[in-house]
Amino acid sequence: MVISTEDELAKLKDIGRICAIAVQTMAEALEPGITTAELDMIGRKFLEANGAESAPEVCYQFPGATCISVNEEVAHGIPGPRIIQAGDLVNIDVSAVKDGFFSDTGSSFIVPPVTPKIDRLCRDGKRALWVGVNQVKSGQPMAKIGNAIGAFAAKNRYTLITNLASHGVGRSLHEEPKELSTWPDPDETRLMTEGLVFTIEPFLSLGGHWAEDGDDPWTLYSEPRAPTVQFEHTLVATKNGPLVLTLAA
């Protein structure tokens, strides 16, 4: 989607903020003993109270309002009876639609106690996201995003999951530009156009290179198995740089 009116931008900001606060609200409830289904219900109620619907349910009939991935799960974890434990690494990914406009955001959290290695991974996962966001400007090559994140990962001795890409969003959950790499990709030749709406969502890992299917149709696991975090924003490319839509404030 390329934004063409102020009304479109206002509606994208609205759903972006709703998604961001949903993640924040769920994270505040994250504690040992809560199930992922209970956590998902908190997100569902918040979305509904703000006039929004779960995008994975609407678009793909996903069995939950949000994706909650724990420890060995990298992405698309199904909410259910799993009980959150002390020390768990939990990714909360919320995408939703309101008034015909979609947004998508996610963050990884640690349930205390926190080990230094995983604490650093989470902190650097967020840094990797912002390294990518800071490359955004209309007229610039999209490849700058993956190149910058790749350089950050290599410098800090991390790996990146290289089959889970960022994507266009706006009028639907996944649209052009499709398969926007958050790793160095020599085949990426597209440019960021003014008003283009898309996500940036690097998966930073302590050794994982690939996401593979598990026992159900949705949940993905790193290969090889390794702690992995994901941080994601939806944003707009402008001539002045990135306009981030999924901020809670």
Side-chain angles (χ1 to χ4, degrees):
M1 177 183 176
V2 175
I3 291 175
S4 58
T5 68
E6 285 298 321
D7 182 61
E8 289 177 344
L9 179 57
K11 289 180 176 178
L12 282 167
K13 285 181 175 178
D14 183 35
I15 187 58
R17 183 172 174 274
I18 289 169
C19 289
I21 298 176
V23 171
Q24 186 180 73
T25 303
M26 292 169 70
E28 288 168 356
L30 197 55
E31 62 180 7
I34 194 171
T35 67
T36 54
E38 290 168 335
L39 199 60
D40 181 65
M41 184 55 68
I42 291 168
R44 178 186 298 281
K45 288 181 176 178
F46 182 84
L47 293 177
E48 290 175 351
N50 286 274
E53 295 179 274
S54 161
E57 279 188 335
V58 169
C59 297
Y60 301 115
Q61 293 75 55
F62 180 76
T66 67
C67 298
I68 304 173
S69 307
V70 184
N71 292 340
E72 72 280 0
E73 302 167 349
V74 172
H76 306 160
I78 300 172
R82 182 168 185 163
I83 298 171
I84 298 296
Q85 309 286 340
D88 277 350
L89 176 61
V90 182
N91 179 264
I92 299 172
D93 194 321
V94 175
S95 53
V97 56
K98 181 181 178 181
D99 295 330
F101 292 88
F102 290 76
S103 198
D104 192 357
T105 190
S107 293
S108 296
F109 304 91
I110 315 163
V111 181
V114 179
T115 65
K117 180 184 283 189
I118 303 301
D119 184 48
R120 179 174 174 265
L121 174 64
C122 262
R123 188 173 65 248
D124 285 345
K126 191 175 293 185
R127 289 174 65 197
L129 167 61
W130 282 100
V131 163
V133 168
N134 288 334
Q135 308 309 310
V136 173
K137 190 174 185 180
S138 58
Q140 293 296 306
M142 284 186 176
K144 288 184 69 174
I145 297 169
N147 289 343
I149 294 171
F152 174 86
K155 179 182 176 182
N156 292 282
R157 299 185 178 181
Y158 294 108
T159 56
L160 290 160
I161 303 297
T162 55
N163 64 327
L164 290 175
S166 305
H167 54 90
V169 65
R171 288 291 190 179
S172 60
L173 180 56
H174 295 99
E175 58 181 64
E176 294 295 338
K178 293 180 179 176
E179 300 297 318
L180 173 55
S181 301
T182 52
W183 57 89
D185 180 0
D187 295 325
E188 179 57 82
T189 59
R190 295 170 293 184
L191 298 177
M192 293 177 261
T193 54
E194 180 73 17
L196 187 67
V197 188
F198 58 96
T199 71
I200 296 180
E201 50 176 315
F203 287 79
L204 198 70
S205 182
L206 290 172
H209 293 275
W210 196 256
E212 65 172 16
D213 295 333
D215 297 329
D216 64 64
W218 297 100
T219 310
L220 297 174
Y221 300 82
S222 74
E223 177 59 42
R225 295 286 195 271
T228 303
V229 296
Q230 177 251 28
F231 289 87
E232 175 183 17
H233 275 312
T234 296
L235 48 82
V236 183
T238 81
K239 63 180 181 296
N240 297 318
L243 174 59
V244 180
L245 300 173
T246 43
L247 295 174

